[in-house]
């Protein structure tokens, strides 16, 4: 008897692949010079050169007063669905990675689901700050592999400008707003090859926003706080380690990586990670200069830019990795 001929289809390996990408940036582009002028009005001194030299950032985008996290997410999602063939009705899972939701509850994912007219499928948020998209993509991949979903909409969306203290030039110059999305669908060919997620709550205090709601009032300070040196030291260590762990899981090496698409936090962190992985910077997708740090949106935004510019093409092997408050970090290796 031919065992292969009698093997039921349900027992065949099930994988997930990215079918489409999308991105969205608000209309309000804020250059370093414009931001320096705003800070100067409050007595805070900075400059284009100071920001660029330390971060690699030249501009970022801020959402309008009437733009919500869900609005950015919906715009990116529609572009991803169109890129994947336009069949939004086939979406059976929605995950939104965000630290800046529309409201305390319901989830931004449920709000996005309503705005897209996709009622019925599971929808929920993932909160892992700048690692959020890697976390969300890993969860979606797991659900597709187990048959719990077949076509997932995975979004990273942020309006971080609303968490910034514009009296602190060390943090307010770093962040921007935006959204990125992918459609991840079941496939009989491997797409996502391996992933790994980590967190270490001992480092909660290096990057956090301590405000909370109680009795209908905001209690504490709801602006972002960061120990920049501590974040840098942690990031360059864990990003190398998690990348190597994922390569080992997938049976690949650094030489197999066509493109490194890291969280777009700071050009120095990205350069250090590339150097440790023996990758030239021309194999690293860099959008931080134009977008700033868009937290959970930064990786899918960078991916979408790279796909639409023709840098990333079908068949390329991509390493996605992020690190964020929590302290959280993770990586995904995939064949695009």
């Amino acid at each position: 008897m031919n065992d292969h001929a009698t093997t039921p289809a349900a027992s065949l390996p099930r994988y997930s692949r990215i079918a489409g990408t999308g991105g969205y940036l608000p209309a309000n582009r804020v250059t370093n010079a414009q931001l320096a002028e705003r800070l100067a009005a409050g007595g805070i001194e900075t400059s284009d050169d100071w920001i660029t030299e330390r971060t690699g950032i030249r501009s970022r985008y801020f959402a309008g007063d009437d733009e919500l996290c869900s609005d950015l997410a919906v715009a990116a999602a529609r572009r991803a669905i169109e890129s994947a063939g336009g069949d939004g009705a086939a979406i059976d899972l929605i995950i939104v990675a965000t630290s800046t939701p529309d409201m305390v509850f319901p989830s931004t994912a449920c709000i996005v689901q309503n705005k897209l007219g996709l009622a019925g499928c599971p929808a929920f948020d993932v909160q892992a700050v700048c690692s959020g998209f890697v976390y969300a993509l890993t969860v979606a991949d797991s659900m597709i592999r187990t048959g719990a979903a077949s076509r997932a909409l995975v979004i990273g969306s942020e309006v971080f400008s609303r968490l910034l203290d514009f009296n602190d030039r060390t943090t307010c110059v770093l962040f921007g707003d935006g959204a990125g999305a992918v459609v991840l669908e079941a496939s009989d060919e491997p797409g996502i090859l391996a992933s790994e997620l980590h967190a270490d709550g001992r480092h909660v205090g290096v990057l956090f926003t301590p405000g909370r709601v109680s009795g209908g009032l905001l209690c504490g300070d709801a602006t972002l706080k960061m120990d920049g040196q501590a974040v840098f030291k942690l990031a360059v260590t864990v990003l190398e380690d998690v990348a190597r762990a994922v390569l080992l899981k997938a049976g690949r090496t650094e030489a197999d990586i066509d493109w490194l698409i890291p969280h777009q936090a700071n050009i120095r962190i990205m350069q250090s990670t590339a150097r440790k992985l023996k990758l030239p910077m021309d194999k690293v997708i860099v959008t931080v200069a134009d977008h700033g740090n868009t937290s959970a949106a930064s990786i899918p935004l960078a991916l979408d830019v790279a796909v639409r510019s023709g840098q990333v093409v079908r068949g390329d092997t991509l390493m996605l990795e992020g690190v964020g408050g929590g302290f959280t970090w993770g990586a995904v290796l995939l064949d695009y």
Side-chain angles (χ1 to χ4, degrees), residues 161-206:
S161 61
R162 292 171 189 161
L163 301 181
L164 301 180
D165 177 359
F166 287 96
N167 292 311
D168 179 6
R169 71 169 183 170
T170 65
T171 58
C172 73
V173 302
L174 301 177
F175 295 89
D177 304 335
V182 302
V183 173
L184 192 70
E185 65 181 18
S187 172
D188 57 3
E189 295 182 4
I192 291 182
L193 304 171
S195 62
E196 185 136 338
L197 304 177
H198 295 278
D200 188 343
R202 293 175 298 176
H203 301 294
V204 164
V206 303

Side-chain angles (χ1 to χ4, degrees), residues 7 29 94 214 288 311:
T7 301
R29 179 174 179 265
I94 301 171
S214 179
V288 68
Q311 288 176 285

Side-chain angles (χ1 to χ4, degrees), residues 130-131 261-266 270 293-296 298-299 321-324:
C130 302
S131 305
I261 308 181
H263 167 49
Q264 308 286 311
N266 180 305
M270 297 161 70
N293 181 346
T294 55
S295 191
S298 77
I299 292 173
E321 58 175 359
V323 60

